[in-house]
Amino acid sequence: MRGMWVIYRKELADHFSSNRFVILFALITMVSLITTFMVGTSLKKELEGIARPSLVFMMLFTSTGDLFSLAQFIAFFGPLIGLVLGFDAINRERINGTLSKLAAQPIYRDAIINGKFMAGVVTIKIMLLSIVLLISGLGLFTLGVTPGPEEVGRVLIYLVISIFYISFWLGVAILFSIFFRNIATSALAAIALWIFFSFFVTFGASLAANALVPIDQNQGADAERLFAHAQVQKAVSLLSPMKLYSDATSTILDPMRKTTRSLILIGPMERVSMDRFNRPLPLGQSILVVFPYIVFLILITLICFAISYLAFMRQEIRSG
Amino acid sequence: MDTSKIVVEATGLTKVYGSKTAVDNISFAVDRGEIFGFLGPNGAGKTTTVLMMLGLTEPSAGRVEVMGLDPRFASIKVKQMVGYLPENVGFYGDLTGRQNLLYVARLNGLTDKVSHDRIDQALDAVGLKDEGDKRAAAYSRGMRQRLGIAELLIREPDIVFLDEPTLGLDPDGINRMISLIQSLSLERNMTVLLSSHQLHQVQRICHRVGIMIKGKLVAVGTIDELAKEKLGVEQDTFTLEEIYMKYFKEA
Ligand SMILES: Nc1ncnc2c1ncn2[C@@H]1O[C@H](COP(=O)(O)OP(=O)(O)OP(=O)(O)O)[C@@H](O)[C@H]1O
Ligand SMILES: [Mg+2]
């Protein structure tokens, strides 16, 4: 335990004094502020003269404005934070010749991984928290509404899911830094995985759906077929942590959504019932809907860790 | 704690990498207070042997005990008693020498107050008193090597493993290192195991040596014993070089 805390403290200090942290933070802050400002002003214009909808504060995160919504931005860009904080965690020490020294101290080897992971997670937490606070502050200013307790609750849950999500990517990056002894290789591999999940899984999902349940454009498919098609597409795309995350956060941020399923998967009677009770889903219910997603995010992070431990515990540690 | 004379004992120690046997069934014992030297050419298996003694790599066969403990199963206890100076010792370049030492001291559970005192003494002992607040990235090879010794002084282990401590040093640096190693043994009562292929230095300080060639430990003993065995000479006109070359030709 002692070893882990000492390593954690050093790594945290390293993160906060590193250039890469400053650059990353500046970039994200800049994009967030610009997006918030644009979304805020356009929302304000649209809302002029009409009755204010409930939970308008949440729209700050979900409206797309001219470019993209803040939620989309974090979903796409967030992994990069995790990757940048961890891709050289172990292999840099190996190359510097400090790993063999570190491993020769009276500490358990897993303390090295744990300490580094914890320092990364705390860095992520601080980054996200300050960004969400900035967004909320600027949103308050441009929109002129104060968030109610439910909105604050939703933003907090969004924050928690985002931290889990980005921490998963940190776990992946640390795993790569154990497997690849070359820093450039592990950076490239991490970015490749990120791009794969960002773009190709969605693409692969529609490919798989077309192959398994082809839909003839001319004939017009029956509802059952459409349904099966969408089912396959959804199942495959859930392989991507990004999809998992977007689904989970969209339910939290947009209370009018009562299911993580896309509209096509909602049965006709269900739609009638949803229309009838067209009120926002209460916070508690939203949490219930996304709970499995959070569990799954934690699960894949743990799997990442298990592999890291197995690989690192048995690795030979030689300097030079 | 084990109070017997033997502090490190290897029996049938073997390490195989794929089809290459890096360390081939070696056995030796090192007594408390000794300076023991592993001699051998590049690739003889010296580093691999040291790594196995530290539990940083697993033996393929045989076993090694440090103070009666197996480094594989009692790794923390063994690492508390053993200090290690790796072949190319590394430091965090953007920390100062002093900060590097403080990090190691903390990892060893020393309080910051104790550490600061020990760091001052250690930097003084290795002649880095004025350089302690420079970034480690700016250290020369000799300074890095001495900072590595300072790290051992702070940890105060019972046994130290020094892998090629004099490699890449100039004659002055070598002399300094040699006397530092001697002081570890004489003033601090540490048992010293070192590896080297620089025979002159080893001859000056080692009580006993083991000659390693191609993974095999071909001879162990005092330099006098080895000379008698190989060269048949009694008087000390021989050099370790001659003995070594004899073994080397036979292998
Ligand atoms: N990870 C590895 N995989 C395969 N072979 C290895 C590995 N590590 C070491 N070897 C081989 O094992 C042999 C012994 O290596 P070792 O580093 O122990 O030698 P050494 O005596 O320390 O040499 P040097 O004087 O160059 O430091 C060498 O032939 C080396 O090529
Ligand atoms: Mg070596």
Short mmCIF file of all heavy atoms in Angstrom, two decimals, chain A residues 96-121:
data_model
loop_
_atom_site.label_atom_id
_atom_site.label_comp_id
_atom_site.label_asym_id
_atom_site.label_seq_id
_atom_site.Cartn_x
_atom_site.Cartn_y
_atom_site.Cartn_z
N ASN A 96 14.14 4.43 -19.72
CA ASN A 96 15.00 5.27 -18.88
C ASN A 96 15.88 4.46 -17.94
O ASN A 96 16.77 5.01 -17.32
CB ASN A 96 14.15 6.19 -18.02
CG ASN A 96 13.62 7.36 -18.81
OD1 ASN A 96 14.09 7.61 -19.91
ND2 ASN A 96 12.66 8.05 -18.26
N GLY A 97 15.58 3.16 -17.82
CA GLY A 97 16.34 2.35 -16.88
C GLY A 97 15.89 2.54 -15.44
O GLY A 97 16.58 2.11 -14.51
N THR A 98 14.74 3.18 -15.24
CA THR A 98 14.27 3.37 -13.87
C THR A 98 13.34 2.24 -13.44
O THR A 98 13.10 2.07 -12.25
CB THR A 98 13.51 4.70 -13.74
OG1 THR A 98 12.66 4.87 -14.86
CG2 THR A 98 14.47 5.86 -13.66
N LEU A 99 12.86 1.45 -14.41
CA LEU A 99 11.91 0.39 -14.04
C LEU A 99 12.58 -0.70 -13.22
O LEU A 99 12.01 -1.18 -12.23
CB LEU A 99 11.27 -0.21 -15.30
CG LEU A 99 10.14 -1.18 -15.02
CD1 LEU A 99 9.00 -0.49 -14.28
CD2 LEU A 99 9.60 -1.80 -16.30
N SER A 100 13.81 -1.07 -13.60
CA SER A 100 14.46 -2.14 -12.85
C SER A 100 14.79 -1.67 -11.44
O SER A 100 14.73 -2.44 -10.48
CB SER A 100 15.72 -2.63 -13.57
OG SER A 100 16.59 -1.56 -13.78
N LYS A 101 15.09 -0.38 -11.31
CA LYS A 101 15.34 0.17 -9.99
C LYS A 101 14.07 0.17 -9.16
O LYS A 101 14.06 -0.23 -8.00
CB LYS A 101 15.87 1.58 -10.15
CG LYS A 101 16.66 2.05 -8.98
CD LYS A 101 17.25 3.41 -9.25
CE LYS A 101 16.15 4.46 -9.30
NZ LYS A 101 16.71 5.80 -9.54
N LEU A 102 12.98 0.62 -9.81
CA LEU A 102 11.69 0.69 -9.13
C LEU A 102 11.25 -0.70 -8.67
O LEU A 102 10.81 -0.89 -7.53
CB LEU A 102 10.66 1.26 -10.11
CG LEU A 102 9.42 1.95 -9.58
CD1 LEU A 102 9.81 3.03 -8.60
CD2 LEU A 102 8.64 2.54 -10.74
N ALA A 103 11.44 -1.68 -9.56
CA ALA A 103 11.00 -3.04 -9.24
C ALA A 103 11.89 -3.68 -8.18
O ALA A 103 11.51 -4.67 -7.56
CB ALA A 103 10.97 -3.89 -10.49
N ALA A 104 13.08 -3.11 -7.97
CA ALA A 104 13.98 -3.67 -6.95
C ALA A 104 13.73 -3.07 -5.57
O ALA A 104 14.37 -3.46 -4.60
CB ALA A 104 15.43 -3.45 -7.36
N GLN A 105 12.83 -2.10 -5.49
CA GLN A 105 12.48 -1.55 -4.17
C GLN A 105 11.50 -2.49 -3.49
O GLN A 105 10.81 -3.26 -4.15
CB GLN A 105 11.85 -0.16 -4.31
CG GLN A 105 12.67 0.84 -5.12
CD GLN A 105 14.05 1.06 -4.55
OE1 GLN A 105 14.23 1.06 -3.34
NE2 GLN A 105 15.04 1.18 -5.43
N PRO A 106 11.44 -2.43 -2.16
CA PRO A 106 10.54 -3.35 -1.45
C PRO A 106 9.06 -2.96 -1.60
O PRO A 106 8.41 -2.57 -0.65
CB PRO A 106 11.00 -3.25 0.00
CG PRO A 106 11.71 -1.96 0.11
CD PRO A 106 12.28 -1.67 -1.23
N ILE A 107 8.56 -3.05 -2.82
CA ILE A 107 7.13 -2.80 -3.08
C ILE A 107 6.63 -3.91 -3.99
O ILE A 107 7.44 -4.55 -4.68
CB ILE A 107 6.91 -1.44 -3.77
CG1 ILE A 107 7.76 -1.36 -5.05
CG2 ILE A 107 7.24 -0.29 -2.84
CD1 ILE A 107 7.41 -0.19 -5.93
N TYR A 108 5.33 -4.14 -4.00
CA TYR A 108 4.78 -5.12 -4.93
C TYR A 108 4.73 -4.51 -6.31
O TYR A 108 4.55 -3.31 -6.47
CB TYR A 108 3.39 -5.55 -4.49
CG TYR A 108 3.39 -6.36 -3.23
CD1 TYR A 108 3.03 -5.80 -2.02
CD2 TYR A 108 3.80 -7.68 -3.25
CE1 TYR A 108 3.06 -6.54 -0.85
CE2 TYR A 108 3.85 -8.43 -2.09
CZ TYR A 108 3.48 -7.86 -0.89
OH TYR A 108 3.53 -8.59 0.26
N ARG A 109 4.86 -5.39 -7.30
CA ARG A 109 4.86 -4.86 -8.66
C ARG A 109 3.55 -4.21 -9.03
O ARG A 109 3.52 -3.24 -9.78
CB ARG A 109 5.15 -5.98 -9.66
CG ARG A 109 6.61 -6.14 -9.93
CD ARG A 109 6.81 -6.92 -11.19
NE ARG A 109 8.08 -7.63 -11.12
CZ ARG A 109 8.55 -8.39 -12.08
NH1 ARG A 109 7.84 -8.57 -13.17
NH2 ARG A 109 9.71 -8.99 -11.94
N ASP A 110 2.44 -4.75 -8.52
CA ASP A 110 1.16 -4.15 -8.93
C ASP A 110 1.00 -2.74 -8.37
O ASP A 110 0.22 -1.96 -8.90
CB ASP A 110 -0.03 -5.05 -8.55
CG ASP A 110 -0.02 -5.43 -7.09
OD1 ASP A 110 0.90 -4.99 -6.38
OD2 ASP A 110 -0.93 -6.15 -6.66
N ALA A 111 1.78 -2.42 -7.33
CA ALA A 111 1.73 -1.05 -6.80
C ALA A 111 2.13 -0.04 -7.88
O ALA A 111 1.64 1.09 -7.90
CB ALA A 111 2.64 -0.91 -5.60
N ILE A 112 3.03 -0.47 -8.78
CA ILE A 112 3.48 0.43 -9.84
C ILE A 112 2.31 0.74 -10.77
O ILE A 112 2.02 1.90 -11.06
CB ILE A 112 4.65 -0.21 -10.62
CG1 ILE A 112 5.80 -0.53 -9.65
CG2 ILE A 112 5.10 0.70 -11.74
CD1 ILE A 112 6.96 -1.25 -10.31
N ILE A 113 1.61 -0.31 -11.21
CA ILE A 113 0.47 -0.10 -12.11
C ILE A 113 -0.63 0.68 -11.39
O ILE A 113 -1.17 1.64 -11.92
CB ILE A 113 -0.11 -1.45 -12.60
CG1 ILE A 113 0.97 -2.26 -13.31
CG2 ILE A 113 -1.27 -1.22 -13.52
CD1 ILE A 113 0.46 -3.57 -13.85
N ASN A 114 -0.95 0.25 -10.17
CA ASN A 114 -2.05 0.89 -9.45
C ASN A 114 -1.77 2.37 -9.19
O ASN A 114 -2.65 3.21 -9.37
CB ASN A 114 -2.29 0.20 -8.10
CG ASN A 114 -2.85 -1.20 -8.29
OD1 ASN A 114 -3.29 -1.54 -9.38
ND2 ASN A 114 -2.81 -2.00 -7.26
N GLY A 115 -0.55 2.67 -8.74
CA GLY A 115 -0.21 4.05 -8.45
C GLY A 115 -0.33 4.92 -9.69
O GLY A 115 -0.88 6.02 -9.64
N LYS A 116 0.14 4.39 -10.81
CA LYS A 116 0.07 5.17 -12.04
C LYS A 116 -1.37 5.34 -12.51
O LYS A 116 -1.76 6.41 -12.97
CB LYS A 116 0.90 4.50 -13.14
CG LYS A 116 2.37 4.74 -12.94
CD LYS A 116 3.21 4.04 -13.97
CE LYS A 116 4.67 4.30 -13.71
NZ LYS A 116 5.22 5.39 -14.52
N PHE A 117 -2.16 4.27 -12.38
CA PHE A 117 -3.55 4.36 -12.80
C PHE A 117 -4.31 5.38 -11.94
O PHE A 117 -5.03 6.23 -12.44
CB PHE A 117 -4.22 2.99 -12.71
CG PHE A 117 -5.65 2.98 -13.17
CD1 PHE A 117 -5.97 3.08 -14.52
CD2 PHE A 117 -6.69 2.89 -12.26
CE1 PHE A 117 -7.28 3.08 -14.94
CE2 PHE A 117 -8.01 2.88 -12.67
CZ PHE A 117 -8.30 2.98 -14.03
N MET A 118 -4.08 5.29 -10.63
CA MET A 118 -4.81 6.21 -9.74
C MET A 118 -4.46 7.66 -10.01
O MET A 118 -5.33 8.52 -10.01
CB MET A 118 -4.51 5.87 -8.29
CG MET A 118 -5.37 4.74 -7.80
SD MET A 118 -5.24 4.49 -6.06
CE MET A 118 -4.36 5.87 -5.50
N ALA A 119 -3.18 7.91 -10.24
CA ALA A 119 -2.77 9.28 -10.54
C ALA A 119 -3.46 9.77 -11.81
O ALA A 119 -3.92 10.90 -11.88
CB ALA A 119 -1.25 9.36 -10.68
N GLY A 120 -3.55 8.88 -12.81
CA GLY A 120 -4.22 9.25 -14.06
C GLY A 120 -5.70 9.53 -13.83
O GLY A 120 -6.23 10.52 -14.33
N VAL A 121 -6.35 8.68 -13.03
CA VAL A 121 -7.78 8.86 -12.79
C VAL A 121 -8.03 10.18 -12.07
O VAL A 121 -8.96 10.92 -12.42
CB VAL A 121 -8.35 7.68 -11.97
CG1 VAL A 121 -9.76 7.99 -11.50
CG2 VAL A 121 -8.34 6.41 -12.79
#
